[in-house]
Amino acid sequence: MPASERVRGPRDLKGKRLCEVEGSVSYRRVREEKGVPVVPGRARGYAQCLAMLSGGRLDAVSTDDLILAGLAAQAARTGGPKLRIAGTPFSDEPYGIGLRRDDVDGCEAVNKAITAMYQDGTAERLLGRWFGPVGLHYTRTVPQFEGCDEPAPPVSDAGGVPFPGQ
């Protein structure tokens, strides 16, 4: 959101124009789960949200912290408005890497590579390089991994429909 806005949490978005990205749950979380009456600003993706926010057609964008930090960093690199990440997280939506369900070796290799990046400082250096200038507070410890030995439950799209082949 613009750096001049004073927002500490979802309730402060009352009456504001909030980006509603097709297929995303973030807008619904603010409007339905938190019960905040926001005005939808519909977009096909977060790049369009950034353009709308930069052009004054939106007041705020709600999504996970890495996407928000990326948008703020992009705006700063391209001479756009100064943006900031406001408030505190109000949901936990971990990231994942997609692999075949039965690829235990691949899963373990990915977990090992991510662990090594955190242990040798690569993750902190990259996160700081790309997201530090916009004030993102990122995790500096090895993330908690899901197990590799049993298949994960089927993943669905935003509408709750399982992806093909599941």
Side-chain angles (χ1 to χ4, degrees):
M1 77 177 338
S4 60
E5 291 283 332
R6 292 289 155 232
V7 172
R8 291 179 305 279
R11 302 255 179 260
D12 295 326
L13 295 172
K14 180 180 178 181
K16 302 280 188 188
R17 297 168 297 170
L18 181 65
C19 195
E20 180 182 14
V21 173
E22 193 175 300
S24 172
V25 298
S26 187
Y27 175 87
R28 286 192 316 233
R29 285 216 164 111
V30 171
R31 185 167 180 95
E32 297 168 15
E33 290 179 21
K34 300 293 181 186
V36 180
V38 291
V39 178
R42 292 184 175 82
R44 290 180 305 279
Y46 288 104
Q48 187 177 12
C49 289
L50 177 58
M52 293 168 68
L53 185 63
S54 297
R57 297 187 317 259
L58 285 178
D59 298 306
V61 177
S62 174
T63 187
D64 69 71
D65 57 357
L66 287 178
I67 292 174
L68 292 173
L71 294 174
Q74 182 179 345
R77 282 193 309 273
T78 59
K82 183 171 173 62
L83 304 175
R84 69 182 180 89
I85 300 171
T88 58
F90 54 91
S91 68
D92 182 28
E93 298 176 27
Y95 277 82
I97 296 174
L99 301 168
R100 285 188 338 265
R101 284 183 179 206
D102 61 349
D103 189 2
V104 174
D105 291 340
C107 177
E108 290 173 349
V110 167
N111 287 350
K112 183 177 179 180
I114 292 170
T115 297
M117 289 177 67
Y118 275 88
Q119 290 174 337
D120 71 11
T122 300
E124 184 171 356
R125 188 176 69 255
L126 291 172
L127 288 166
R129 175 181 175 193
W130 293 106
F131 304 118
V134 296
L136 174 67
H137 300 286
Y138 47 86
T139 302
R140 289 173 163 79
T141 58
V142 178
Q144 177 67 44
F145 297 116
E146 299 293 326
C148 293
D149 54 349
E150 57 184 79
V155 177
S156 63
D157 65 15
V161 178
F163 285 119
Q166 295 186 341

